[in-house]
Amino acid sequence: DGGITQSPKYLFRKEGQNVTLSCEQNLNHDAMYWYRQDPGQGLRLIYYSQIVNDFQKGDIAEGYSVSREKKESFPLTVTSAQKNPTAFYLCASSILPGSSYGYTFGSGTRLTVV
Amino acid sequence: DQQVKQNSPSLSVQEGRISILNCDYTNSMFDYFLWYKKYPAEGPTFLISISSIKDKNEDGRFTVFLNKSAKHLSLHIVPSQPGDSAVYFCAASDRGSRLTFGEGTQLTVNP
């Protein structure tokens, strides 16, 4: 079955540490996205990529970094510069950059800073 | 600048009744609108969409209405079922650009 796999489902990080969240898709989608969900704030876009080796900042990119070396993979690194990293992180993909085709979401990673 | 707003954080209805979830937008260039449903600790799943050239789209128990002049869309669920209890996000796009999401509305359907 095609889909998006995010791992791990739960992640704990000590303050000051970088951590990388994995996102892999086998849908052959060109575009991939990272969102953050906080209570009462909906889904906020962190980074997105429309093609391999290219990506753009979203609305809240500070303290995060990404790479897109392969079409199937779009890992997100939460750096120590991110002041409030505890959140639920969602990865998504779409067949083309045009979102009219809709997004397919992964099941999310809950990151907790301890 | 919140271009897509869902002003009701929560909504509670009785099983069998109608659920109406509302969404307002400010960007008149938005031309495609979608609703997603999200259960706790899971990713959102696509529910229903509507193009700006239409004012209604129906899929089973779910109907989306678009009022372009008021920049307002709504999702109707009839009849509501306990399994419909989830967070509902509306989203919009501008000529194929990335989606902009609202804050979400928590729907609770009571048996």
Side-chain angles (χ1 to χ4, degrees):
Chain A
D1 281 340
I4 296 185
T5 302
Q6 289 187 244
S7 61
K9 195 163 182 65
Y10 299 96
L11 191 56
F12 296 88
R13 188 196 90 176
K14 292 184 179 179
E15 281 195 38
Q17 287 182 338
N18 292 355
V19 64
T20 298
L21 283 60
S22 170
C23 178
E24 304 277 333
Q25 54 102 354
N26 60 3
L27 299 165
N28 201 31
H29 284 178
D30 285 302
M32 296 187 74
Y33 313 83
W34 274 104
Y35 283 89
R36 169 180 171 143
Q37 184 189 11
D38 295 282
Q41 296 201 51
L43 304 178
R44 294 186 291 167
L45 183 66
I46 304 172
Y47 267 98
Y48 64 104
S49 168
Q50 298 182 337
I51 195 170
V52 174
N53 292 323
D54 187 42
F55 47 83
Q56 290 80 40
K57 293 182 178 180
D59 302 315
I60 54 166
E62 185 176 350
Y64 299 97
S65 66
V66 292
S67 63
R68 186 87 187 275
E69 296 176 3
K70 298 185 301 181
K71 187 175 185 177
E72 302 79 21
S73 179
F74 192 40
L76 173 74
T77 297
V78 184
T79 75
S80 56
Q82 169 49 233
K83 291 182 171 45
N84 187 19
T86 294
F88 188 59
Y89 290 87
L90 285 161
C91 179
S93 69
S94 62
I95 189 167
L96 291 172
S99 53
S100 298
Y101 295 93
Y103 291 4
T104 300
F105 283 87
S107 56
T109 293
R110 179 159 300 279
L111 173 64
T112 304
V113 174
V114 295
Chain B
D1 175 23
Q2 188 70 22
Q3 297 188 67
V4 178
K5 280 200 70 64
Q6 296 175 253
N7 290 311
S8 298
S10 63
L11 174 68
S12 183
V13 300
Q14 286 298 119
E15 181 178 5
R17 307 293 289 269
I18 185 172
S19 296
I20 300 177
L21 295 94
N22 294 304
C23 180
D24 297 296
Y25 61 96
T26 58
N27 187 344
S28 58
M29 301 305 294
F30 284 147
D31 62 354
Y32 202 77
F33 304 88
L34 306 90
W35 284 93
Y36 283 83
K37 175 180 178 179
K38 184 184 179 302
Y39 293 116
E42 293 183 12
T45 55
F46 170 75
L47 192 57
I48 192 169
S49 63
I50 188 168
S51 164
S52 62
I53 62 173
K54 295 186 174 183
D55 55 18
K56 176 182 174 181
N57 188 27
E58 191 171 353
D59 183 2
R61 297 186 296 114
F62 302 92
T63 303
V64 56
F65 295 92
L66 176 62
N67 182 334
K68 286 195 295 293
S69 61
K71 294 191 178 68
H72 177 85
L73 67 155
S74 60
L75 174 68
H76 293 211
I77 306 173
V78 182
S80 301
Q81 299 173 354
D84 295 330
S85 298
V87 176
Y88 289 79
F89 290 99
C90 73
S93 74
D94 166 11
R95 291 164 294 171
S97 69
R98 58 183 176 89
L99 290 177
T100 300
F101 286 87
E103 304 94 325
T105 296
Q106 171 71 57
L107 172 66
T108 302
V109 180
N110 301 302

